[in-house]
């Protein structure tokens, strides 16, 4: 959500910032509703002042035995006018909110211009795609040949975009999740958190999924939503809270299932596990002061990068351009991994600084420290989120990167504590 004071201060600059995302000017419409709301509120205050005066005059007239009929009639008229003005202000406020809540976050100045992923900027690459002496296979070819990845069974049970894993591959998926959550808790200072997989409207609204992206979500018959990522409940832990500055930063992580309808993805990645309705992900969320969020963004991204390095994957950090940056983010790094079977770079993690955009929607604030005898005004928190990382895509990357000529898959040594001595699958 945007601060209306920013729109009032420089409407042209606000429209120019949104134009970077390809959006049409909207400041004039927002300010028209803002003006209407404030005018109705001012008029209502004036009417209320007159009503208060009439009440006093009626009391005085009655004490003196005077006629109050005219005053009471005026009071009744003003009461009706008051109700009409309050309704007018409420309607204008709702219209203004509807305009603001549909607008994405303003982008960081360093976000490059561009329309889509082809305009993203590669900042760093770790390793080089390997030159294999055999024709590499894609993950689904490897998994099906091993008899450990079954898309037919999944389709029978649930339909398209689901997978059944068996045996060593199921264990490898579990090992990846356990390894990543342990790393972030034990070495990166995140607090492990178990969160609800079903949340209410307010929670989805707080992180920006509602109202704009309803079609991307799954909803239950009792009006709850299946989480698309643990970012949603983790970030909303501070919704409506006023934290002490000394409590910051907060860092949470969760290993959870995620559910996405994949609306608009017809025909994309229809084979394999890259784009699923249900998948597991390790999520990282940080809650900070405004002046700390840029450094926290770098820290969070390095935490995700360490996972990829320890798994022996070839990866690169990419700064997303204006047209590819998500709704709630001011700045986003994607981590892409090289998949030998596909012969392509694919996203495996996304780390975003949302600044105070989500905090305003959630009314999540903190009180800065102040000098003795003084009290600082509350300030909005900054929120960040990142994949640390998507377990299914990590499984894909491990399978394709560490495949052998005979179709077996070497297990990265870092997963040994969770694999029971298994060093190779096949």
């Amino acid at each position: 959500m945007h601060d209306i004071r920013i729109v009032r201060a420089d409407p042209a600059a606000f429209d120019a910032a949104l134009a970077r995302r390809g959006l049409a000017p909207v400041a004039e419409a927002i300010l028209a509703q803002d003006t209407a709301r404030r005018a109705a509120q001012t008029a209502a205050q004036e009417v209320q002042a007159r009503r208060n005066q009439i009440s006093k005059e009626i009391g005085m007239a009655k004490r003196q035995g005077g006629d109050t009929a005219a005053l009471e009639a005026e009071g009744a008229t003003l009461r009706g006018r008051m109700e009409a003005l309050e309704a007018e202000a409420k309607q204008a406020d709702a219209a203004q909110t509807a305009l603001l809540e549909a607008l994405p976050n303003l982008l960081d100045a360093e976000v490059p211009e561009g329309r889509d992923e082809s305009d993203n900027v590669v900042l760093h690459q770790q390793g080089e795609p390997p030159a294999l002496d055999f024709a590499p296979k894609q993950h689904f070819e490897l998994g099906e040949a091993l008899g450990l990845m079954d898309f037919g069974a999944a389709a029978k049970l649930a339909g398209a975009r689901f997978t059944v894993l068996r045996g060593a591959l199921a264990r490898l998926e579990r090992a990846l999740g356990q390894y990543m959550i342990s790393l972030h808790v034990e070495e990166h200072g995140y607090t492990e958190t178990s969160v609800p997989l079903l949340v209410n409207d307010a929670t989805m609204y707080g992180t920006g999924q509602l109202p704009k992206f309803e079609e991307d979500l799954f909803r239950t018959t009792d009006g709850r939503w299946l989480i698309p990522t643990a970012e949603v409940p983790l970030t909303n832990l501070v919704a409506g809270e006023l934290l002490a500055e000394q409590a910051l930063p907060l860092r949470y992580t969760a290993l959870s299932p995620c559910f996405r309808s994949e609306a608009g993805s017809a025909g994309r990645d229809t084979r394999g596990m890259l784009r699923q309705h249900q998948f597991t992900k390790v999520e990282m969320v940080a809650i900070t002061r405004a002046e700390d969020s840029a450094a926290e963004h770098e820290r969070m991204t390095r935490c995700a990068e360490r996972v990829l390095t320890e798994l022996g994957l070839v990866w690169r950090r990419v700064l997303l351009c204006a047209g590819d940056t998500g709704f709630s983010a001011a700045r986003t790094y994607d981590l892409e991994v090289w998949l030998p079977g596909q012969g392509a770079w694919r996203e495996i993690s996304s780390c975003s600084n949302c600044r105070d955009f989500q905090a305003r929607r959630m009314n999540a604030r903190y009180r800065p420290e102040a000098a003795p005898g003084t009290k600082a005004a509350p300030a909005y928190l900054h929120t960040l989120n990142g994949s640390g990382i998507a377990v299914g895509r990590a499984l894909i990357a491990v399978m394709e990167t560490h495949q052998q000529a005979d179709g077996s898959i070497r297990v990265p040594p870092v997963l040994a504590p969770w694999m029971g001595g298994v060093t190779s699958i096949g």
Side-chain angles (χ1 to χ4, degrees):
M1 186 72 79
H2 297 285
D3 186 347
I4 185 62
R5 292 174 295 183
I6 293 177
V7 188
R8 291 177 193 150
D10 196 338
F14 185 77
D15 281 339
L18 292 176
R20 297 187 64 200
R21 290 184 178 266
L23 299 179
V26 71
E28 183 178 351
I30 294 171
L31 292 179
Q33 297 299 334
D34 184 48
T35 300
R37 176 185 59 81
R38 294 205 288 176
Q41 289 174 337
T42 299
Q45 291 169 359
E46 293 172 352
V47 169
Q48 183 60 49
R50 177 54 186 158
R51 288 181 69 194
N52 293 341
Q53 181 62 33
I54 287 174
S55 179
K56 293 178 182 179
E57 292 177 6
I58 289 174
M60 291 176 61
K62 285 183 176 180
R63 286 193 296 272
Q64 297 171 2
D67 184 3
T68 62
L71 289 171
E72 289 176 357
E74 183 182 356
T77 299
L78 291 176
R79 182 169 59 252
R81 174 64 175 152
M82 185 76 176
E83 292 173 353
L85 287 169
E86 288 175 344
E88 185 179 330
K90 184 176 181 180
Q91 182 178 9
D93 184 65
Q96 176 184 301
T97 299
L99 289 170
L100 288 171
E101 70 186 6
L103 297 175
N105 201 351
L106 301 184
L107 297 169
D108 182 88
E110 294 184 4
V111 171
E113 302 299 329
R115 297 182 59 183
D116 54 37
E117 61 185 17
S118 63
D119 295 315
N120 294 339
V121 177
V122 177
L123 301 178
H124 171 74
Q125 181 174 316
Q126 179 76 21
E128 293 291 335
L132 301 176
D133 58 3
F134 61 92
K137 296 178 180 178
Q138 296 196 55
H139 68 281
F140 52 83
E141 297 171 315
L142 291 163
E144 289 177 325
L146 291 168
L148 303 178
M149 187 177 287
D150 194 335
F151 298 99
K156 178 179 69 174
L157 297 172
R161 298 194 186 277
F162 291 92
T163 309
V164 170
L165 299 177
R166 297 190 178 95
L169 278 190
R171 182 169 191 171
L172 180 59
E173 181 189 48
R174 174 163 55 90
L176 284 164
Q178 293 298 322
Y179 151 67
M180 289 186 279
I181 197 76
S182 297
L183 177 68
H184 295 318
V185 170
E186 295 169 9
E187 299 193 35
H188 294 156
Y190 286 83
T191 299
E192 183 171 3
T193 312
S194 178
V195 294
L197 305 183
L198 294 168
V199 296
N200 56 30
D201 288 359
T203 301
M204 282 292 192
Y205 178 86
T207 42
Q209 279 73 26
L210 290 180
K212 191 173 178 64
F213 300 104
E214 181 174 342
E215 68 174 6
D216 296 327
L217 308 170
F218 286 114
R219 193 172 194 179
T220 63
T221 55
D222 65 354
R224 293 183 176 87
W225 303 89
L226 289 168
I227 62 169
T229 163
E231 169 206 344
V232 175
L234 287 175
T235 309
N236 274 276
L237 288 172
V238 298
E241 299 292 329
L242 178 58
L243 306 179
E245 182 176 3
Q246 299 93 320
L248 301 174
L250 298 175
R251 298 186 180 109
Y252 299 121
T253 187
L255 170 62
S256 78
C258 305
F259 306 90
R260 298 183 186 177
S261 70
E262 292 296 337
S265 297
R268 296 182 60 190
D269 301 315
T270 54
R271 292 204 65 186
M273 290 179 59
L274 269 169
R275 200 175 296 274
Q276 301 271 277
H277 288 311
Q278 173 188 317
F279 59 95
T280 303
K281 180 157 68 81
V282 174
E283 185 70 14
M284 302 178 292
V285 161
I287 313 293
T288 75
R289 305 181 306 164
E291 53 266 43
D292 298 331
S293 68
E296 188 70 24
H297 190 203
E298 297 296 325
R299 181 187 190 277
M300 176 179 285
T301 306
R302 290 195 299 271
C303 290
E305 289 172 344
R306 181 176 173 185
V307 172
L308 303 179
T309 298
E310 291 193 353
L311 290 175
L313 306 177
V314 176
W315 57 268
R316 64 186 188 183
R317 184 195 290 202
V318 176
L319 176 59
L320 298 195
C321 72
D324 202 29
T325 301
F327 180 83
S328 294
R331 180 186 177 100
T332 297
Y333 295 127
D334 268 8
L335 300 182
E336 297 179 342
V337 67
W338 176 258
L339 298 183
Q342 283 197 15
W345 295 96
R346 298 304 297 261
E347 182 222 329
I348 197 169
S349 173
S350 188
C351 298
S352 297
N353 186 352
C354 299
R355 296 185 175 162
D356 66 355
F357 184 81
Q358 293 176 325
R360 288 182 179 275
R361 298 173 77 97
M362 298 185 299
N363 191 30
R365 302 172 299 162
Y366 76 100
R367 190 179 296 281
E369 292 186 36
T374 64
K375 194 173 185 179
Y380 283 104
L381 294 160
H382 277 207
T383 63
L384 303 95
N385 64 81
S387 307
I389 54 177
V391 177
R393 293 202 172 196
L395 177 66
I396 291 169
V398 166
M399 291 176 67
E400 294 198 13
T401 299
H402 298 302
Q403 63 179 296
Q404 307 299 305
D406 62 359
S408 64
I409 300 161
R410 182 173 56 82
V411 175
V414 73
L415 300 180
W418 296 276
M419 289 298 293
V422 174
T423 60
S424 179
I425 298 173

